[in-house]
Amino acid sequence: MPLGPYELTAGELATVLEADRAGAPYVAYRADTGELVLRGLVTDSMTVGRADENDIALAWDAEVSRAHARLERVAGRWTVVDDGLSRNGTFVGGQRIRGRRALDPGALVRVGRTTLVLRGGAHNAVGTVAAEDGVEASRVTAAERRVLVALCRPAISGGLATPASNQEIAEELVLSVAGVKTHLRALFDKLDVDDLPRSRKRAELARRALAIGLVGPADYE
């Protein structure tokens, strides 16, 4: 499963899903060792930079400034602030920001060579996706999302990589298998997995839906 730009192992997926269930906001990123780090956003302002004094210290990334940026919560919503302290800039969705930028659910914040993925709390809200993950994903219908929820159930409930079968989805939602296939074809297009080989489409659809927060633990409570 990918989390933003990161492919997750089965163990990492279980850790991420557990953190999502806890509900508290956090950022995920990879250290220089390749380890996936989940850093809780425990105060309303968290500094990001290369110096050890930062709340999120990225000492290994030479392209990150000593004092690079801040993550701040404003009226319940997280924002990123780069007020000119960084040499190489801060990027959200591939665009360099100046000043403050509000962060959408699942937002990717790049500082230097490191990408921070915002997760948890309201940022796993169902039915909303980050702009960089594609406009079409935001047009998923209620019926299509029910199919997605059923498809992803094995990963949420047991950390399994294999999504539910068409027959299992049909039985859960009281649909025909043909109806399930119709919804899945639309979802393949909207979440931009239509060009993949048939054997990979369903797994990638489930992985992408989980990674961008279109489906989350709250759907299974």
Side-chain angles (χ1 to χ4, degrees):
M1 165 186 168
L3 178 75
Y6 305 124
E7 289 289 335
L8 302 187
T9 65
E12 289 171 342
L13 172 57
T15 300
V16 166
L17 292 176
E18 182 178 357
D20 286 350
R21 291 188 190 100
Y26 66 94
V27 292
Y29 57 92
R30 287 211 184 274
D32 58 334
T33 60
E35 176 188 5
L36 183 70
V37 179
L38 307 185
R39 182 71 166 87
L41 299 176
V42 296
T43 66
D44 287 342
S45 181
M46 302 277 288
T47 58
V48 181
R50 198 173 75 251
D52 291 338
E53 293 80 5
N54 287 283
D55 299 303
I56 301 174
L58 309 173
W60 63 87
D61 193 334
E63 294 182 16
V64 172
S65 298
R66 288 183 58 81
H68 195 104
R70 299 189 309 279
L71 294 171
E72 292 186 349
R73 181 160 43 197
V74 179
R77 186 177 187 185
W78 283 96
T79 66
V80 61
V81 182
D82 187 328
D83 48 14
L85 290 178
S86 70
R87 178 176 183 179
N88 294 318
T90 300
F91 297 79
V92 176
Q95 295 183 339
R96 184 168 183 169
I97 68 167
R98 288 173 173 80
R100 185 185 302 274
R101 175 72 61 86
L103 298 177
D104 291 321
L108 309 182
V109 179
R110 183 169 62 82
V111 292
R113 298 189 303 273
T114 303
T115 298
L116 309 175
V117 185
L118 182 65
R119 301 282 293 185
H123 289 275
N124 282 342
V126 171
T128 310
V129 298
E132 62 268 24
D133 289 304
V135 174
E136 288 299 325
S138 67
R139 298 176 184 163
V140 170
T141 68
E144 290 164 355
R145 216 178 71 72
R146 285 193 292 272
V147 170
L148 268 182
V149 170
L151 180 78
C152 297
R153 186 177 299 279
I156 291 288
S157 61
L160 301 176
T162 303
S165 69
N166 290 345
Q167 184 63 46
E168 289 170 333
I169 296 170
E171 291 175 358
E172 177 178 336
L173 301 181
V174 194
L175 293 173
S176 68
V177 171
V180 171
K181 290 180 178 179
T182 296
H183 288 312
L184 286 174
R185 282 194 294 269
L187 288 164
F188 292 153
D189 180 57
K190 291 181 179 181
L191 270 72
D192 198 26
V193 298
D194 210 26
D195 291 337
L196 293 177
R198 174 185 271 183
S199 60
R200 291 180 52 197
K201 283 183 180 181
R202 292 162 51 78
E204 183 59 26
L205 178 64
R207 291 168 183 171
R208 188 163 300 190
L210 287 165
I212 66 178
L214 190 56
V215 174
D219 291 300
Y220 306 91
E221 294 176 352

